[in-house]
Amino acid sequence: MARFDAVLFDCDGVLVDSETITNRVLCAMLNEAGWALTSEACLQLFIGKMVRSQKDLIEANTGKPLTDAWMEEFYERRNTALEKDVKAIEGAVEAVKALHAQMGGQIACASGADRKKVEMQLRITGLLPYFEGRIFSGHELPRTKPFPDVYLAAAAALGAAPQRCLVIEDSVTGTQAGVAAQATVWAYHPPLHAVCPAHELEAAGASRCFAHMGELPQLV
């Protein structure tokens, strides 16, 4: 019997190399708002998290309310930067294509990001055809990561028990979400540009770390 009935991918940092691009825009805007924050500190604070969910933190450090207008400007500037610079993670297109065939189409993208961003990035990188109709956004559910809602929704849509799903993540927050869904979580951890240390991913519940997306079909 196959080890897994479905493979559920996070998007940012797993399928698309977008996290440094988004972080660049967010860091610039927070500095403009009065929060003197380095790029490295910004990445560590916000990786895997919905910006709006950090409202209290942002307001405490900028001394200004986090308004809808500010969020709209962030989305606009972020999307412009992503349209220009986003690329697929090395080996991701080949891995997704292979797993789509291997799993009989039982793969999904379950992201904490907004749907517009996820679909745009998958379209630009050529990954959208493999996930069409199987894209899930934490923005559309009662709770986003680290809660399990987005992974539970993806598993349910595929008709798979969460315990029979493999989740591919790169952040502690996302790993916690996969574990909370009772899925098996493997962490993509490229040693030279990982966003979270391997020991933190393992402490969050990742049962395996792997270094290259091209390895994934064989591991599965």
Side-chain angles (χ1 to χ4, degrees):
M1 190 168 70
R3 292 170 71 190
F4 304 109
D5 293 340
V7 180
L8 314 177
F9 291 88
D10 176 41
C11 184
D12 296 286
V14 168
L15 297 174
V16 299
D17 193 3
S18 57
E19 287 173 326
T20 55
I21 300 167
T22 297
N23 186 66
R24 184 176 74 222
V25 174
L26 178 60
C27 188
M29 287 188 63
L30 291 173
N31 272 273
E32 289 165 16
W35 185 358
L37 191 63
T38 66
S39 178
E40 293 76 15
C42 187
L43 188 64
Q44 290 308 309
L45 284 170
F46 291 94
I47 188 72
K49 297 172 185 169
M50 194 164 68
V51 173
R52 202 184 286 274
S53 73
Q54 303 304 299
K55 180 177 185 288
D56 291 347
L57 179 68
I58 292 170
E59 291 181 346
N61 282 278
T62 61
K64 298 170 185 171
L66 184 66
T67 63
D68 288 344
W70 192 93
M71 287 302 306
E72 286 304 316
E73 183 184 350
F74 167 65
Y75 290 142
E76 190 176 323
R77 286 169 64 171
R78 178 203 68 184
N79 290 353
T80 298
L82 288 168
E83 283 270 13
K84 180 173 173 285
D85 294 330
V86 76
K87 292 179 173 59
I89 291 287
E90 188 179 350
V93 175
E94 296 79 7
V96 166
K97 184 177 180 181
L99 280 166
H100 186 270
Q102 214 168 297
M103 302 296 298
Q106 287 286 91
I107 66 171
C109 180
S111 173
D114 55 283
R115 177 174 295 275
K116 182 178 178 181
K117 177 191 180 194
V118 176
E119 291 183 345
M120 174 187 73
Q121 294 180 131
L122 295 179
R123 173 179 52 78
I124 291 169
T125 55
L127 286 162
L128 189 58
Y130 301 105
F131 293 106
E132 201 95 59
R134 296 182 308 282
I135 296 168
F136 301 86
S137 164
H139 282 230
E140 298 168 3
L141 292 158
R143 305 173 301 179
T144 191
K145 300 174 185 179
F147 295 99
D149 302 33
V150 72
Y151 283 122
L152 293 174
L158 294 176
Q163 298 88 342
R164 296 277 302 158
C165 292
L166 173 64
V167 163
I168 308 301
E169 270 289 351
D170 72 321
S171 73
V172 168
T173 303
T175 298
Q176 290 168 335
V179 170
Q182 297 187 302
T184 298
V185 182
W186 290 356
Y188 170 60
H189 184 266
L192 297 180
H193 50 94
V195 294
C196 295
H199 69 89
E200 290 185 9
L201 294 164
E202 288 163 355
S207 59
R208 180 198 290 266
C209 290
F210 65 101
H212 195 282
M213 284 302 296
E215 301 172 32
L216 188 56
Q218 191 173 355
L219 293 174
V220 172

